[in-house]
Short mmCIF file of all heavy atoms in Angstrom, two decimals:
data_model
loop_
_atom_site.label_atom_id
_atom_site.label_comp_id
_atom_site.label_asym_id
_atom_site.label_seq_id
_atom_site.Cartn_x
_atom_site.Cartn_y
_atom_site.Cartn_z
N GLY A 1 -87.25 -10.42 324.10
CA GLY A 1 -87.64 -10.56 325.45
C GLY A 1 -87.84 -12.01 325.91
O GLY A 1 -87.62 -12.93 325.10
N VAL A 2 -88.10 -12.14 327.25
CA VAL A 2 -88.32 -13.49 327.81
C VAL A 2 -89.75 -13.56 328.46
O VAL A 2 -89.99 -14.49 329.21
CB VAL A 2 -87.26 -13.78 328.85
CG1 VAL A 2 -85.87 -13.92 328.28
CG2 VAL A 2 -87.24 -12.71 329.95
N GLU A 3 -90.62 -12.60 328.09
CA GLU A 3 -91.99 -12.66 328.58
C GLU A 3 -92.70 -13.89 328.09
O GLU A 3 -92.31 -14.46 327.11
CB GLU A 3 -92.69 -11.38 328.19
CG GLU A 3 -92.98 -11.26 326.79
CD GLU A 3 -91.90 -10.72 325.92
OE1 GLU A 3 -90.83 -10.48 326.54
OE2 GLU A 3 -92.08 -10.39 324.72
N THR A 4 -93.75 -14.37 328.77
CA THR A 4 -94.45 -15.48 328.42
C THR A 4 -95.72 -15.16 327.67
O THR A 4 -96.64 -16.01 327.49
CB THR A 4 -94.81 -16.32 329.69
OG1 THR A 4 -95.53 -15.51 330.59
CG2 THR A 4 -93.54 -16.75 330.36
N TYR A 5 -95.97 -13.88 327.35
CA TYR A 5 -97.18 -13.48 326.71
C TYR A 5 -96.80 -12.91 325.30
O TYR A 5 -95.67 -12.55 324.99
CB TYR A 5 -97.97 -12.46 327.52
CG TYR A 5 -97.00 -11.36 328.08
CD1 TYR A 5 -96.70 -10.21 327.30
CD2 TYR A 5 -96.41 -11.48 329.31
CE1 TYR A 5 -95.92 -9.20 327.78
CE2 TYR A 5 -95.63 -10.48 329.87
CZ TYR A 5 -95.34 -9.40 329.04
OH TYR A 5 -94.54 -8.39 329.55
N THR A 6 -97.86 -12.73 324.49
CA THR A 6 -97.70 -12.21 323.13
C THR A 6 -97.62 -10.66 323.12
O THR A 6 -98.33 -10.03 323.78
CB THR A 6 -98.85 -12.69 322.26
OG1 THR A 6 -98.92 -14.10 322.18
CG2 THR A 6 -98.73 -12.13 320.86
N GLU A 7 -96.66 -10.11 322.31
CA GLU A 7 -96.59 -8.68 322.12
C GLU A 7 -97.12 -8.38 320.81
O GLU A 7 -97.42 -9.32 319.97
CB GLU A 7 -95.11 -8.27 322.27
CG GLU A 7 -94.60 -8.30 323.68
CD GLU A 7 -95.12 -7.26 324.66
OE1 GLU A 7 -95.98 -6.50 324.18
OE2 GLU A 7 -94.77 -7.32 325.81
N HIS A 8 -97.13 -7.09 320.41
CA HIS A 8 -97.67 -6.68 319.15
C HIS A 8 -96.81 -5.45 318.58
O HIS A 8 -96.21 -4.78 319.31
CB HIS A 8 -99.10 -6.23 319.22
CG HIS A 8 -100.07 -7.40 319.60
ND1 HIS A 8 -100.24 -7.81 320.94
CD2 HIS A 8 -100.77 -8.19 318.88
CE1 HIS A 8 -101.06 -8.82 320.99
NE2 HIS A 8 -101.43 -9.04 319.70
N PHE A 9 -96.85 -5.39 317.27
CA PHE A 9 -96.28 -4.23 316.56
C PHE A 9 -97.12 -3.86 315.40
O PHE A 9 -97.98 -4.55 314.85
CB PHE A 9 -94.87 -4.50 316.16
CG PHE A 9 -94.68 -5.49 315.00
CD1 PHE A 9 -94.57 -5.06 313.70
CD2 PHE A 9 -94.77 -6.84 315.25
CE1 PHE A 9 -94.45 -5.96 312.59
CE2 PHE A 9 -94.52 -7.74 314.29
CZ PHE A 9 -94.46 -7.41 312.92
N THR A 10 -96.97 -2.58 315.00
CA THR A 10 -97.86 -2.02 313.87
C THR A 10 -96.96 -1.30 312.89
O THR A 10 -96.27 -0.37 313.23
CB THR A 10 -98.94 -1.08 314.44
OG1 THR A 10 -99.68 -1.70 315.45
CG2 THR A 10 -99.79 -0.69 313.41
N PRO A 11 -97.08 -1.58 311.57
CA PRO A 11 -96.26 -0.90 310.55
C PRO A 11 -97.03 0.30 310.05
O PRO A 11 -98.28 0.34 310.08
CB PRO A 11 -96.06 -2.01 309.43
CG PRO A 11 -97.36 -2.74 309.57
CD PRO A 11 -97.78 -2.85 310.98
N TYR A 12 -96.31 1.26 309.52
CA TYR A 12 -96.88 2.49 309.03
C TYR A 12 -96.26 2.86 307.64
O TYR A 12 -95.10 2.47 307.44
CB TYR A 12 -96.72 3.66 309.86
CG TYR A 12 -97.46 3.64 311.22
CD1 TYR A 12 -96.98 2.85 312.38
CD2 TYR A 12 -98.66 4.21 311.41
CE1 TYR A 12 -97.62 2.75 313.45
CE2 TYR A 12 -99.36 4.22 312.65
CZ TYR A 12 -98.86 3.40 313.55
OH TYR A 12 -99.62 3.37 314.83
N ALA A 13 -96.96 3.49 306.84
CA ALA A 13 -96.46 4.04 305.54
C ALA A 13 -96.97 5.44 305.42
O ALA A 13 -98.17 5.81 305.62
CB ALA A 13 -96.81 3.23 304.37
N VAL A 14 -96.13 6.32 304.93
CA VAL A 14 -96.58 7.72 304.61
C VAL A 14 -96.70 7.82 303.00
O VAL A 14 -95.66 7.50 302.32
CB VAL A 14 -95.51 8.68 305.06
CG1 VAL A 14 -95.89 10.20 304.74
CG2 VAL A 14 -95.35 8.61 306.57
N CYS A 15 -97.94 8.16 302.65
CA CYS A 15 -98.22 8.08 301.23
C CYS A 15 -98.65 9.45 300.62
O CYS A 15 -99.26 10.25 301.37
CB CYS A 15 -99.30 7.07 300.96
SG CYS A 15 -99.08 5.47 301.75
N VAL A 16 -98.41 9.69 299.35
CA VAL A 16 -98.99 10.87 298.65
C VAL A 16 -99.34 10.41 297.25
O VAL A 16 -99.00 9.30 296.79
CB VAL A 16 -97.85 11.98 298.50
CG1 VAL A 16 -97.51 12.52 299.84
CG2 VAL A 16 -96.67 11.55 297.78
N ASP A 17 -100.17 11.22 296.52
CA ASP A 17 -100.51 10.95 295.24
C ASP A 17 -99.31 10.88 294.31
O ASP A 17 -98.50 11.75 294.26
CB ASP A 17 -101.46 12.13 294.65
CG ASP A 17 -102.84 12.07 295.42
OD1 ASP A 17 -103.16 10.93 296.04
OD2 ASP A 17 -103.52 13.11 295.38
N ALA A 18 -99.34 9.77 293.53
CA ALA A 18 -98.12 9.59 292.55
C ALA A 18 -98.06 10.74 291.60
O ALA A 18 -96.97 11.07 291.22
CB ALA A 18 -98.27 8.22 292.01
N ALA A 19 -99.12 11.19 291.16
CA ALA A 19 -99.17 12.27 290.13
C ALA A 19 -98.57 13.59 290.59
O ALA A 19 -98.16 14.39 289.83
CB ALA A 19 -100.64 12.54 289.62
N SER A 20 -98.52 13.77 291.94
CA SER A 20 -97.87 14.96 292.42
C SER A 20 -96.45 14.97 292.64
O SER A 20 -95.79 15.99 293.03
CB SER A 20 -98.72 15.40 293.75
OG SER A 20 -98.38 14.48 294.84
N VAL A 21 -95.88 13.78 292.54
CA VAL A 21 -94.39 13.59 292.66
C VAL A 21 -93.91 12.73 291.48
O VAL A 21 -93.38 11.61 291.68
CB VAL A 21 -94.02 13.04 294.04
CG1 VAL A 21 -94.14 13.94 295.18
CG2 VAL A 21 -94.83 11.78 294.26
N PRO A 22 -93.92 13.31 290.24
CA PRO A 22 -93.62 12.45 289.05
C PRO A 22 -92.25 11.98 289.03
O PRO A 22 -91.93 11.07 288.41
CB PRO A 22 -94.01 13.42 287.92
CG PRO A 22 -93.86 14.83 288.51
CD PRO A 22 -94.30 14.65 289.97
N GLY A 23 -91.37 12.73 289.76
CA GLY A 23 -89.91 12.32 289.68
C GLY A 23 -89.47 11.38 290.84
O GLY A 23 -88.22 11.12 291.04
N ILE A 24 -90.36 10.90 291.61
CA ILE A 24 -89.96 10.05 292.80
C ILE A 24 -89.31 8.77 292.39
O ILE A 24 -89.72 8.18 291.35
CB ILE A 24 -91.19 9.92 293.74
CG1 ILE A 24 -90.72 9.25 295.06
CG2 ILE A 24 -92.16 8.93 293.04
CD1 ILE A 24 -91.75 9.22 296.09
N TYR A 25 -88.23 8.40 293.16
CA TYR A 25 -87.61 7.15 292.87
C TYR A 25 -86.92 6.62 294.10
O TYR A 25 -86.83 7.44 295.07
CB TYR A 25 -86.57 7.27 291.72
CG TYR A 25 -85.43 8.26 292.03
CD1 TYR A 25 -84.21 7.88 292.49
CD2 TYR A 25 -85.58 9.65 291.73
CE1 TYR A 25 -83.23 8.66 292.78
CE2 TYR A 25 -84.53 10.55 292.02
CZ TYR A 25 -83.41 10.10 292.55
OH TYR A 25 -82.35 10.95 292.77
N GLN A 26 -86.44 5.39 294.05
CA GLN A 26 -85.83 4.74 295.24
C GLN A 26 -84.38 4.29 294.76
O GLN A 26 -84.17 3.92 293.65
CB GLN A 26 -86.65 3.61 295.67
CG GLN A 26 -88.02 3.89 296.18
CD GLN A 26 -88.83 2.63 296.40
OE1 GLN A 26 -88.36 1.58 296.40
NE2 GLN A 26 -90.16 2.88 296.81
N VAL A 27 -83.51 4.38 295.75
CA VAL A 27 -82.18 3.86 295.46
C VAL A 27 -81.75 3.02 296.67
O VAL A 27 -82.23 3.10 297.78
CB VAL A 27 -81.10 5.05 295.35
CG1 VAL A 27 -81.45 5.78 294.09
CG2 VAL A 27 -80.99 5.94 296.53
N ASN A 28 -80.84 2.07 296.46
CA ASN A 28 -80.29 1.32 297.56
C ASN A 28 -78.75 1.12 297.37
O ASN A 28 -78.30 1.08 296.15
CB ASN A 28 -81.00 0.04 297.82
CG ASN A 28 -80.82 -0.99 296.86
OD1 ASN A 28 -79.78 -1.74 296.89
ND2 ASN A 28 -81.72 -1.24 295.88
N THR A 29 -78.07 0.83 298.35
CA THR A 29 -76.63 0.67 298.33
C THR A 29 -76.17 -0.68 297.82
O THR A 29 -75.01 -0.81 297.45
CB THR A 29 -76.01 0.91 299.73
OG1 THR A 29 -76.60 -0.15 300.63
CG2 THR A 29 -76.32 2.26 300.23
N GLY A 30 -77.08 -1.62 297.79
CA GLY A 30 -76.63 -3.04 297.61
C GLY A 30 -76.04 -3.50 298.96
O GLY A 30 -76.03 -2.82 299.94
N ALA A 31 -75.49 -4.75 298.90
CA ALA A 31 -75.10 -5.26 300.24
C ALA A 31 -73.86 -4.66 300.80
O ALA A 31 -72.88 -4.46 300.15
CB ALA A 31 -74.73 -6.81 299.91
N GLN A 32 -74.00 -4.33 302.08
CA GLN A 32 -72.93 -3.71 302.89
C GLN A 32 -72.54 -4.71 304.04
O GLN A 32 -73.46 -5.54 304.35
CB GLN A 32 -73.42 -2.45 303.50
CG GLN A 32 -73.91 -1.36 302.53
CD GLN A 32 -72.78 -0.90 301.64
OE1 GLN A 32 -71.71 -0.43 302.02
NE2 GLN A 32 -72.93 -1.08 300.25
N THR A 33 -71.43 -4.67 304.47
CA THR A 33 -70.88 -5.64 305.45
C THR A 33 -70.93 -5.15 306.92
O THR A 33 -70.64 -3.99 307.19
CB THR A 33 -69.50 -6.11 305.18
OG1 THR A 33 -69.55 -6.73 303.88
CG2 THR A 33 -68.99 -7.28 306.18
N VAL A 34 -71.46 -5.95 307.84
CA VAL A 34 -71.38 -5.55 309.27
C VAL A 34 -70.81 -6.84 309.95
O VAL A 34 -71.09 -7.88 309.79
CB VAL A 34 -72.77 -5.29 309.87
CG1 VAL A 34 -73.81 -6.40 309.71
CG2 VAL A 34 -72.66 -4.99 311.42
N GLY A 35 -69.77 -6.51 310.83
CA GLY A 35 -69.08 -7.57 311.58
C GLY A 35 -67.87 -8.15 310.69
O GLY A 35 -67.97 -8.18 309.54
N PRO A 36 -66.86 -8.68 311.42
CA PRO A 36 -66.73 -8.62 312.84
C PRO A 36 -66.25 -7.21 313.42
O PRO A 36 -66.72 -6.73 314.42
CB PRO A 36 -65.72 -9.71 313.22
CG PRO A 36 -64.88 -9.81 311.96
CD PRO A 36 -65.81 -9.47 310.82
N ASP A 37 -65.40 -6.60 312.66
CA ASP A 37 -64.86 -5.23 313.13
C ASP A 37 -64.91 -4.24 311.98
O ASP A 37 -64.57 -4.70 310.79
CB ASP A 37 -63.39 -5.38 313.62
CG ASP A 37 -63.28 -6.16 314.88
OD1 ASP A 37 -64.10 -6.01 315.81
OD2 ASP A 37 -62.37 -7.07 315.03
N THR A 38 -65.32 -3.05 312.23
CA THR A 38 -65.41 -2.03 311.24
C THR A 38 -64.77 -0.72 311.88
O THR A 38 -64.45 -0.63 313.09
CB THR A 38 -66.75 -1.77 310.77
OG1 THR A 38 -67.50 -1.05 311.80
CG2 THR A 38 -67.56 -2.98 310.37
N TYR A 39 -64.71 0.36 311.15
CA TYR A 39 -64.29 1.62 311.59
C TYR A 39 -65.20 2.13 312.81
O TYR A 39 -64.66 2.79 313.61
CB TYR A 39 -64.37 2.65 310.32
CG TYR A 39 -64.26 4.09 310.79
CD1 TYR A 39 -63.03 4.58 310.97
CD2 TYR A 39 -65.35 4.91 311.03
CE1 TYR A 39 -62.79 5.95 311.30
CE2 TYR A 39 -65.21 6.19 311.48
CZ TYR A 39 -64.00 6.74 311.54
OH TYR A 39 -63.84 8.05 311.91
N TYR A 40 -66.47 1.73 312.82
CA TYR A 40 -67.36 2.11 313.91
C TYR A 40 -67.31 1.28 315.09
O TYR A 40 -67.76 1.72 316.15
CB TYR A 40 -68.74 2.17 313.27
CG TYR A 40 -68.86 3.10 312.09
CD1 TYR A 40 -68.81 2.61 310.87
CD2 TYR A 40 -69.12 4.47 312.36
CE1 TYR A 40 -68.84 3.44 309.73
CE2 TYR A 40 -69.22 5.24 311.15
CZ TYR A 40 -69.17 4.72 309.91
OH TYR A 40 -69.19 5.56 308.86
N GLY A 41 -66.60 0.17 315.14
CA GLY A 41 -66.54 -0.65 316.26
C GLY A 41 -66.78 -2.03 315.98
O GLY A 41 -67.29 -2.42 314.90
N PRO A 42 -66.63 -2.97 316.92
CA PRO A 42 -66.92 -4.38 316.76
C PRO A 42 -68.45 -4.64 316.47
O PRO A 42 -69.30 -4.19 317.16
CB PRO A 42 -66.66 -4.98 318.12
CG PRO A 42 -65.71 -4.05 318.85
CD PRO A 42 -66.10 -2.69 318.37
N ASP A 43 -68.69 -5.24 315.33
CA ASP A 43 -69.98 -5.66 314.94
C ASP A 43 -70.93 -4.44 314.79
O ASP A 43 -72.18 -4.54 314.92
CB ASP A 43 -70.60 -6.68 315.86
CG ASP A 43 -69.76 -7.91 315.89
OD1 ASP A 43 -69.38 -8.41 314.89
OD2 ASP A 43 -69.52 -8.44 317.04
#
């Protein structure tokens, strides 16, 4: 924006007991490319 005053934002997390989801894990794709042109359009 171009406003002259301060804005705010708030982060959230959804949590559960670790013992109740013993198999939970995270995966990520590694670096993917955006721009200049892709199948989905420019940038």
